[in-house]
Amino acid sequence: MEQVRALAPLDDPLSSLPFVHETLSTLRGEIGGSGAALLGFVGTPWTLAAYSVEGRAERNCRRTKTMMYGSPQVLHALLDHLTEALIVYVGYQIEAGAQVVQLFDSWAHHLTPEQSAEFSMPYAERIIAAVRAKYPHVPLIFHANGGAGKHAQLAACSADVIGLDWECTMAGARQAMGAGRTLQGNVDPMVLFGPEAAIREAVTRCLVEAGPHHHILNVGHGVIEGTPEESVGLFCELARQSADILAAHGRAQQQPQPVAA
């Protein structure tokens, strides 16, 4: 607890993180009036706490979950500190030019639904509420890696968009969260290492299951290092063609099926 209390607050991000402002403001200038949007992103308090405590990617999140069970008050204090810092940091990114901000809970898969409800979602909601109060015009996305068993929590999240990983079906997520909820995802990023036909099939399935409204086509997490650039290009082009893909699928479904002799 003494170490948590000794952590410095993020009072002046322009001084401590000047490269973030430079990068975002430069990109915003380059985008100009192209119609593209500049996205900022941050880790959630839980994910940053786990990275901090473990010091590396650790498959069982052993030290952090040992703290969770043995000294939950210390973990809550760390999460509280990170939450306050992230409220400042998200605002800093918006002031630098970010037009949308995504909160990544990349280590949510380490949490049971009950643990998520205590150690992740309330802190993310604090960030969302504080940022929305100051910047109501900026959409906020919440993405939980490993969110398949937490759809009820995600449905209750107040973010404008819910990002989904590839461990659930888009149809199941749509059913759980409703037709009016904007969902993002959730194509397996590893399909981009496959042939063009596999990419087209995965994209079509995702689009059809999500429905024609309130969906942002995306992969279910980050693009993996080494992914062929031409595959990323194809995926982006298919995203631009999403309305045509859905229309073509609908026409194909209406075609009369041949009757077996």
Side-chain angles (χ1 to χ4, degrees):
M1 184 63 82
E2 290 73 20
Q3 292 175 329
V4 174
R5 288 172 178 159
L7 293 171
L10 186 62
D11 291 332
D12 184 12
L14 185 58
S15 175
S16 57
L17 299 166
F19 59 91
V20 174
H21 189 282
E22 180 182 357
T23 300
L24 288 173
S25 59
T26 300
L27 286 172
R28 182 67 180 273
E30 291 180 358
I31 289 172
S34 67
L38 179 60
L39 274 69
F41 72 92
V42 297
T44 61
W46 158 251
T47 287
L48 294 183
Y51 272 118
S52 301
V53 173
E54 301 299 332
R56 59 190 176 91
E58 207 283 321
R59 62 179 295 182
N60 296 309
C61 214
R62 180 176 61 85
R63 295 186 181 197
T64 317
K65 296 202 78 171
T66 298
M67 179 188 293
M68 178 185 294
Y69 286 114
S71 303
Q73 71 279 7
V74 177
L75 181 54
H76 277 298
L78 177 57
L79 291 166
D80 186 70
H81 171 86
L82 290 168
T83 298
E84 293 304 312
L86 286 166
I87 290 170
V88 175
Y89 186 42
V90 172
Y92 174 58
Q93 290 196 16
I94 292 170
E95 296 288 348
Q99 296 164 285
V100 183
V101 178
Q102 176 157 307
L103 284 71
F104 276 98
D105 202 1
S106 299
W107 281 25
H109 60 287
H110 286 292
L111 298 172
T112 67
E114 294 77 14
Q115 291 165 352
S116 176
E118 180 177 356
F119 294 98
S120 177
M121 297 304 298
Y123 296 98
E125 285 291 341
R126 273 174 56 187
I127 297 170
I128 293 168
V131 173
R132 182 170 286 139
K134 190 171 183 180
Y135 306 98
H137 62 288
V138 177
L140 299 173
I141 305 169
F142 179 82
H143 174 92
N145 199 31
K150 307 176 180 80
H151 281 171
Q153 290 181 35
L154 295 176
C157 179
S158 62
D160 300 282
V161 180
I162 298 299
L164 303 167
D165 69 8
W166 64 94
E167 295 182 9
C168 66
T169 65
M170 182 58 75
R174 176 59 76 199
Q175 182 177 10
M177 296 188 216
R181 195 66 198 265
T182 301
L183 304 178
Q184 175 182 273
N186 69 332
V187 175
D188 180 4
M190 295 304 293
V191 78
L192 299 180
F193 287 90
E196 179 177 334
I199 297 171
R200 289 182 178 276
E201 180 183 357
V203 166
T204 300
R205 181 170 59 251
C206 182
L207 291 172
V208 169
E209 291 187 2
H213 305 292
H214 303 293
H215 176 230
I216 301 170
L217 179 67
N218 205 339
V219 290
H221 200 246
V223 174
I224 308 301
E225 183 179 356
T227 300
E229 291 184 16
E230 58 271 19
S231 295
V232 178
L234 172 62
F235 187 88
C236 293
E237 184 56 35
L238 293 175
R240 297 184 189 99
Q241 299 173 6
S242 58
D244 294 335
I245 292 171
L246 282 170
H249 181 271
R251 289 193 296 271
Q253 294 297 106
Q254 294 173 4
Q255 293 294 325
Q257 299 298 313
V259 178

